[in-house]
Structures are given as C-alpha cells and as structure tokens.
Amino acid sequence: MSESSTEPGETAADIPVVENPSAPAQATTPGTEDLVVLKDVNKYFGDNHVLKDINLSVRKGEVVVVLGPSGSGKSTLCRTINRLETIESGTITIDGKVLPEEGKALAALRAKVGMVFQSFNLFAHKTILQNVTLGPTKVRRIPRAKADENGMKLLTRVGVDNQAHKYPAQLSGGQQQRVAIARALAMDPAVMLFDEPTSALDPEMVNEVLDVMVDLAQQGMTMIVVTHEMGFARKAADRVIFMSDGAIVEEADPESFFTNPQSGRAKDFLSKILH
C-alpha cells in the first residue's frame, strides 16, 4: 500500500494489516540490550543539513519503522548505519562497537548489517542461488557446498526456492526483492535495514515482500525499516519513528502514533495519508 492508496474518509483504524498465516501468533519480545545506537549524529549534503542531532537506540529484536514525508532524512538515516553515507559529527555503534571510517574493520562490522534497497541490486549474470551465496563464499569463506545448502534454505524461507537456477531477469519484481532479502540474511546479520523495499514494486507484488518481512519480525530479527507501508508499521513495528526536516520529531508505539500523534507535523502527515 502506498501513501496514495488510502480511500477518502479512511481512518487509522481502517488501515489493513499484512496477513501472514504461517507466521507465529505472537511477535518475539525485544530484549533490553541496545544493538544500534546513534548519538548526536549530523549529516550535510553541501549546505543542506539532512540529519540534525539524531539520537536513536534500537534494542536487539526490536522492529523500528521510520516514517516521514519525502526529504525528511529517512533514507539517509538508514544509509548512515552501515556507512553508505558518512556523517559529519556524532557516533554510530553496532553491537557496542563504533562504526569505523574505512578498511577491514568497517567491512567486518558491515557484515553484521544486512541491507535491502528500493532497487534489488542483484547480479544479472549470476543465478539466484549464486547471488545469495556470493557473500558467504567470498567474504566469510564458507565452503561452496555449505553455502549452497544454506542458500537453498534461505530461498525456501522467502518462498523462491523453485527459482534458484534462474537469473534475475526471469523473476518478477517481488521475487527479486525476496531474493535480495535472502541474500542479506545469508551473511547472518545482527540487524536488517530496509530502505523503502516495496516502493519500486507493482501493487500486487507488495504483500509478498511484506509477508516475508513480517515473518522476520515475528522471529525476532532486529529491523530498521524505512517505508510508507502503514499496514506493516501497525502490524510489525515495536516502535514508530517520525522524521521531518532531518530531525526525529516523535516516537511512539504504533497504536499511540496512529491514533494519537502528539506533534503537529505528524498529525499533518497522517491526515494527508489517511484522508
């Protein structure tokens, strides 16, 4: 569901949730230990101050959904966590370690952070299984047979195991994005980042990707999700972060945020989406 997919007169309570009959009945409760911590993070693009004194902690097993209007800094925030974007000031720690600036230490810490983008970024000349096993064999030096075995388990988990020997161009967008999720999981990450993973998909393919994400959330994967999918936020999030103009304006549990937003900017945002 996109921002424009709600009908006139629809309320927050009317937002459909993502159904996944195979998922556990109850979500895993997040732990108390912080896994990702951003402290006083600032980021500029030239004179544009795109992240303003960001302070955010994400606990192990927690699902945090980041919402906000276009240009609010959501995707930039997501991309700083594995240093696809550098920051001007502040610190980012993952599992207690400060995110290094470069080199082998950065590569090692990045391996703990899986990321799924708007575009699928699969290697067109490699099969689906080869896409999933490339990281484990090249980076983690896992033997090919073991990597293939693990890769097939992950493709089964996301529902595309029957596509293992095809190439990306032979798959639908929804299937390719599920492969991208499997590829990220193959590195056994401590946290998964999703940067608007359904925004490039046709509407009928959105739920097949969201179902996989809901399943991951309910199995206890730590997730930071930038999205406009309000149904996913209501169903899977432990916490909603609302950003505007590069700053975190509000954070709350999903029910509180959607039924009783505290800031004027959040109220305006939700009114435009829901009505």
Side-chain angles (χ1 to χ4, degrees):
M1 182 176 63
S2 65
E3 280 187 89
S4 60
S5 61
T6 48
E7 297 296 331
E10 191 174 20
T11 66
D14 295 325
I15 303 173
V17 296
V18 182
E19 297 299 335
N20 186 6
S22 64
Q26 294 189 355
T28 303
T29 303
T32 57
E33 186 178 352
D34 288 335
L35 180 62
V36 179
V37 178
L38 289 81
K39 185 175 181 181
D40 300 326
V41 169
N42 285 273
K43 166 70 180 174
Y44 291 83
F45 289 128
D47 294 331
N48 186 13
H49 195 177
V50 293
L51 293 179
K52 302 173 182 176
D53 297 317
I54 299 295
N55 288 282
L56 173 65
S57 297
V58 179
R59 305 189 308 277
K60 288 185 177 180
E62 188 177 22
V63 179
V64 173
V65 170
V66 185
L67 303 177
S70 296
S72 60
K74 308 184 300 296
S75 291
T76 303
L77 171 67
C78 196
R79 291 169 66 86
T80 62
I81 294 173
N82 67 348
R83 215 173 184 279
L84 287 176
E85 296 288 355
T86 58
I87 59 175
E88 271 65 49
S89 63
T91 59
I92 299 173
T93 60
I94 298 172
D95 207 10
K97 296 181 179 179
V98 176
L99 196 61
E101 291 188 6
E102 57 186 15
K104 291 183 178 180
L106 175 61
L109 204 56
R110 265 185 180 161
K112 292 186 175 183
V113 183
M115 187 154 187
V116 179
F117 302 87
Q118 298 179 37
S119 54
F120 321 124
N121 293 346
L122 300 177
F123 291 107
H125 63 290
K126 293 185 179 294
T127 67
I128 296 310
L129 182 58
Q130 288 170 340
N131 267 276
V132 172
T133 59
L134 185 64
T137 56
K138 297 295 186 184
V139 178
R140 294 197 181 277
R141 304 298 181 186
I142 294 175
R144 167 63 60 187
K146 184 63 176 176
D148 284 350
E149 179 186 350
N150 292 341
M152 286 304 301
K153 288 179 181 178
L154 288 169
L155 291 176
T156 300
R157 185 175 177 182
V158 301
V160 290
D161 50 303
N162 60 336
Q163 311 292 333
H165 302 296
K166 293 183 179 179
Y167 290 87
Q170 296 174 281
L171 274 60
S172 70
Q175 289 172 326
Q176 290 187 62
Q177 192 62 296
R178 284 185 279 162
V179 172
I181 293 173
R183 179 181 59 183
L185 290 172
M187 295 297 287
D188 194 24
V191 57
M192 288 278 286
L193 310 176
F194 294 85
D195 184 11
E196 300 197 23
T198 60
S199 64
L201 298 178
D202 292 332
E204 65 270 19
M205 298 177 185
V206 168
N207 274 349
E208 65 185 60
V209 173
L210 293 180
D211 283 347
V212 172
M213 294 170 61
V214 168
D215 189 51
L216 285 177
Q218 293 180 320
Q219 291 180 32
M221 173 62 72
T222 308
M223 299 165 63
I224 301 172
V225 184
V226 174
T227 186
H228 290 303
E229 302 294 341
M230 301 299 138
F232 175 83
R234 286 189 72 107
K235 182 177 179 65
D238 296 297
R239 186 160 40 122
V240 171
I241 303 294
F242 177 74
M243 293 186 67
S244 181
D245 299 321
I248 294 176
V249 175
E250 188 169 338
E251 57 182 289
D253 65 89
E255 188 64 23
S256 298
F257 178 77
F258 284 110
T259 59
N260 189 29
Q262 298 300 299
S263 64
R265 279 179 282 184
K267 291 176 182 177
D268 181 61
F269 174 78
L270 288 173
S271 71
K272 290 176 179 176
I273 289 180
L274 302 179
H275 300 296

